[in-house]
Amino acid sequence: MASNGTEIAVGEWHPAGSSRSVPSRLIEDGGGLKALDEAGAELAGGALAAVDISARVGAIPRRIEFPDGSLFETTDNDAVDRFLKRKGKTNLVHEWERFHPRLIAVVLATVLSGVAIYRYAVPALVEIAVLVTPPIVPKIMSASTMETMDRTLLDTSALAIERQDKIREGFNAIARLSDRGEGGYTLNFRMGGTIGPNAFALPDGTLIVTDELIELAGDDTEMIVGVLAHEIGHVELEHSLRQIYRAAGVAGLVMMIGGDIGSGAEDILVQGAGLLTLSFSRSAEAAADRHSVELMLKARRDPTAIARFFDLLEKELGDSSDTSILATHPGTPERRKAILDYAGELRAQAH
């Protein structure tokens, strides 16, 4: 029998349990849905509440299942969406109707596994990697990082040769007393540009100090040497190498959870590019500060020199917050006090 209902979409009707298909139209009629053939004869029908409409998934054809088990299938997803919207139904309703509680367990297990790996497995693997790293690896990382920094961030130093020689003399005096010895370090002077007053230590003992930091320190060479002693601490305590492996481990964790992240992990491990964006933890910075105090005392220099540097940051640049102008050196006031306290302790022990 023909029907005068409102047409929703055209498609194919499939009898229950059969692969046969009949060209048909889906119409709304009297608060229900019907499938009609090309002649207008009713093939199947049912109240809207008794008809199951599949959720939209990309361009996959929509399936409307009638109470008798027959199906109407259409590729006109937009037409079905417009009909559902008029009826106050959305895809979200259908998604929740099909939601399986076990998905919560899967998501929760994934999150907990990621946290556990980051908290326990990555640090353990980092320590193992540091122990088995051959000397050539830090050299490759550092050479690549230095090349990248010279190409993108740094410029040739404009510092007078006499000033460089004076700083280098003080640096060599403390490097000579370090575990690696004077030959284990190379000091480089660069114009900092956008990164401003700063100093860096690469894993192989390559150190960079910017003209801007030296200009900030003025004639206080001892202060600059104290900062460089701090960077020597990062090298000898292998902080840079640990940060690279930690970044690689996090990259691997992201890949495990979210899929491929491109060449990020390769850049970190092979090119050492991760050093450009890594910052040290507070514990690592505190350890390097203590190393500076110890090394300066050993060289019979002022162990509080680096504390003066942080005092200068606070006074000259207003750096009294939890971060200093050195992105890798947080907590200026707190660290200055810790340095002074530690230097006082060592002096007292010496007497």
Side-chain angles (χ1 to χ4, degrees):
M1 179 180 291
S3 174
N4 295 320
T6 304
E7 181 176 308
I8 299 173
V10 296
E12 299 284 333
W13 176 79
H14 305 274
S18 173
S19 60
R20 183 171 64 91
S21 64
V22 178
S24 58
R25 297 179 297 129
L26 180 69
I27 68 167
E28 179 186 7
D29 186 23
L33 294 178
K34 293 180 180 179
L36 307 180
D37 64 15
E38 292 179 321
E42 182 175 329
L43 300 171
L48 182 59
V51 175
D52 183 49
I53 303 176
S54 66
R56 181 167 185 167
V57 181
I60 296 176
R62 215 59 161 272
R63 295 162 63 91
I64 291 85
E65 183 175 359
F66 291 98
D68 64 359
S70 65
L71 295 172
F72 174 82
E73 195 171 64
T74 180
T75 58
D76 195 350
N77 284 305
D78 291 339
V80 177
D81 286 342
R82 287 192 294 270
F83 167 72
L84 291 174
K85 187 175 182 180
R86 289 199 306 272
K87 295 300 178 181
K89 295 180 178 290
T90 64
N91 285 339
L92 182 61
V93 173
H94 291 280
E95 291 296 334
W96 276 109
E97 289 174 348
R98 288 168 169 74
F99 183 77
H100 297 291
R102 64 175 175 271
L103 290 178
I104 296 178
V106 172
V107 172
L108 185 60
T110 301
V111 171
L112 291 177
S113 296
V115 171
I117 292 172
Y118 178 78
R119 180 67 179 83
Y120 300 107
V122 170
L125 291 173
V126 164
E127 294 305 315
I128 294 173
V130 169
L131 288 174
V132 301
T133 298
I136 189 62
V137 173
K139 290 183 181 297
I140 294 173
M141 292 177 177
S142 300
S144 177
T145 300
M146 190 72 192
E147 188 275 331
T148 301
M149 294 178 74
D150 277 339
R151 188 179 68 250
T152 60
L153 296 173
L154 305 175
D155 205 346
T156 303
S157 174
L159 199 65
I161 297 299
E162 295 78 9
R163 183 71 171 129
Q164 291 187 27
D165 289 343
K166 186 174 181 180
I167 294 170
R168 197 181 301 277
E169 181 183 353
F171 171 74
N172 289 340
I174 60 169
R176 197 174 299 123
L177 299 173
S178 69
D179 293 342
R180 296 166 63 106
E182 185 178 344
Y185 295 94
T186 304
L187 179 61
N188 299 273
F189 297 91
R190 293 291 189 274
M191 181 79 73
T194 57
I195 62 176
N198 222 321
F200 305 94
L202 304 185
D204 72 336
T206 298
L207 270 63
I208 305 108
V209 60
T210 67
D211 291 1
E212 290 84 350
L213 186 148
I214 295 170
E215 181 181 353
L216 183 66
D219 295 329
D220 194 342
T221 302
E222 198 82 342
M223 181 191 300
I224 300 169
V225 174
V227 171
L228 295 175
H230 168 95
E231 298 303 332
I232 286 177
H234 280 312
V235 176
E236 299 205 335
L237 298 171
E238 298 179 313
H239 292 154
S240 298
L241 195 57
R242 283 184 171 84
Q243 286 295 78
I244 291 175
Y245 284 133
R246 187 174 294 111
V250 171
L253 180 59
V254 171
M255 290 175 67
M256 182 187 74
I257 295 175
D260 187 18
I261 61 170
S263 60
E266 181 183 351
D267 286 344
I268 292 170
L269 284 173
V270 179
Q271 300 180 14
L275 280 172
L276 302 182
T277 56
L278 297 178
S279 60
F280 295 118
S281 66
R282 285 182 178 274
S283 60
E285 288 295 351
D289 288 344
R290 291 192 295 272
H291 198 88
S292 173
V293 172
E294 294 165 1
L295 196 54
M296 292 291 279
L297 267 176
K298 194 185 230 182
R300 298 184 182 279
R301 290 176 172 268
D302 182 4
T304 65
I306 192 172
R308 292 205 307 277
F309 176 69
F310 290 119
D311 185 54
L312 183 65
L313 294 182
E314 185 174 353
K315 290 181 179 178
E316 296 295 325
L317 302 177
D319 182 16
S320 58
S321 64
D322 284 340
T323 57
S324 75
I325 59 168
L326 303 181
T328 57
H329 300 67
T332 300
E334 176 185 341
R335 288 174 63 191
R336 184 180 66 247
K337 182 179 183 303
I339 290 166
L340 294 174
D341 290 345
Y342 187 58
E345 291 176 12
L346 292 184
R347 280 169 167 163
Q349 291 174 10
H351 291 85

